[in-house]
Amino acid sequence: MTHSTAVPAPFSLLTGLRASLPLAIGYAPMAFSFGVVGIQAGLTAWETLLISLIVFAGAAQFILVSMLAAGSGAGAALIAVWVLNLRHLFYGPALLSRLQHRPGPLLPALAFGLTDEVFATAMAKSARAPVSPAWTLGVAMGAYGAWVGGTALGAWLGVGLGQGESLISHALDFVLPGLFIALLASAFQRALWPVVALAAAVTLLCSLFYPAHVAMMTGMISGALIRPWLRLRSEESAP
């Protein structure tokens, strides 16, 4: 980890906000759909917006609202959201190693804003050069603003949409997965093919027997375990 501070933090923050535009375009329609879902699940507009303000976790928010609407207790719903987001335990250390310097007081904000897509965007840029904490925070702020704004719009317009929400939700199911895959493709390295293949295979196999979040975590752990072994083999075979 280097300690370069060549680029002023305010400028890095602004460039990060600009880099968040593709994320904002993908987040806004999904957040709009969540706003409508919250209203139709019996929440008020302010309650729905509060979930996006506090949780900011995409799919986990849909699960949270669905469980609450089905009569699940708040404790069970929170545990489900927590388990679904365990993958972020891998994101933090990976991104921290790519930053120009330690984030210091920005660390809590970076941790809160570290969604799948923010992580992919930061890692893609860091593959070319270390990124600054301020730049990463700018990306997270842009994504967060789009998510909260989309939720607010969907919540306050949701009452008038009636059952049209289901059509919106199904039509937008592909947006975030497609965005995440596109972001990962920009950072993909050929040497990572075995890691990706193993993680995908383990995830697919486990999904036949276990819930999706368990299968995903198992696949991620498998990929994380094989990566150091592949790097060691590569170094041993190098002239």
Side-chain angles (χ1 to χ4, degrees):
M1 186 179 298
T2 64
H3 296 272
S4 171
T5 57
V7 180
F11 180 78
S12 294
L13 186 70
L14 291 175
T15 56
L17 282 170
R18 187 166 60 235
S20 72
L21 181 59
L23 275 65
I25 293 173
Y27 273 23
M30 286 300 297
F32 180 89
S33 180
F34 172 74
V36 178
V37 167
I39 294 299
Q40 297 195 341
L43 299 176
T44 67
W46 286 109
E47 289 171 339
T48 303
L49 179 60
L50 186 63
I51 291 176
S52 281
L53 285 168
I54 296 176
V55 180
F56 186 40
Q61 292 185 206
F62 284 91
I63 292 176
L64 175 62
V65 169
S66 298
M67 292 184 67
L68 292 176
S72 300
L78 291 176
I79 290 174
V81 170
W82 182 78
V83 171
L84 183 63
N85 286 311
L86 278 177
R87 65 189 184 278
H88 291 84
L89 292 176
F90 295 92
Y91 291 171
L95 180 58
L96 187 63
S97 67
R98 300 291 188 92
L99 297 179
Q100 289 177 344
H101 53 84
R102 293 194 175 277
L106 297 181
L107 182 60
L110 289 177
F112 175 76
L114 192 57
T115 64
D116 295 336
E117 294 75 24
V118 171
F119 173 75
T121 300
M123 293 299 284
K125 183 174 176 61
S126 68
R128 300 184 293 272
V131 296
S132 71
W135 182 90
T136 309
L137 180 60
V139 175
M141 288 173 58
Y144 182 67
W147 187 263
V148 171
T151 299
L153 186 61
W156 279 301
L157 295 181
V159 177
L161 289 177
Q163 297 302 314
E165 178 278 329
S166 61
L167 297 176
I168 296 173
S169 181
H170 291 313
L172 296 175
D173 278 346
F174 73 94
V175 174
L176 286 184
L179 174 63
F180 188 55
I181 291 172
L183 292 171
L184 283 178
S186 66
F188 192 77
Q189 304 172 27
R190 188 169 183 175
L192 294 180
W193 269 112
V195 177
V196 174
L198 176 67
V202 171
T203 301
L204 180 61
L205 180 62
C206 290
S207 67
L208 300 176
F209 307 98
Y210 303 104
H213 62 273
V214 175
M216 183 170 59
M217 287 295 299
T218 306
M220 291 178 65
I221 293 172
S222 301
L225 290 176
I226 194 177
R227 175 57 174 161
W229 179 75
L230 289 174
R231 179 175 294 178
L232 180 61
R233 286 200 58 184
S234 177
E235 291 174 353
E236 289 176 349
S237 62

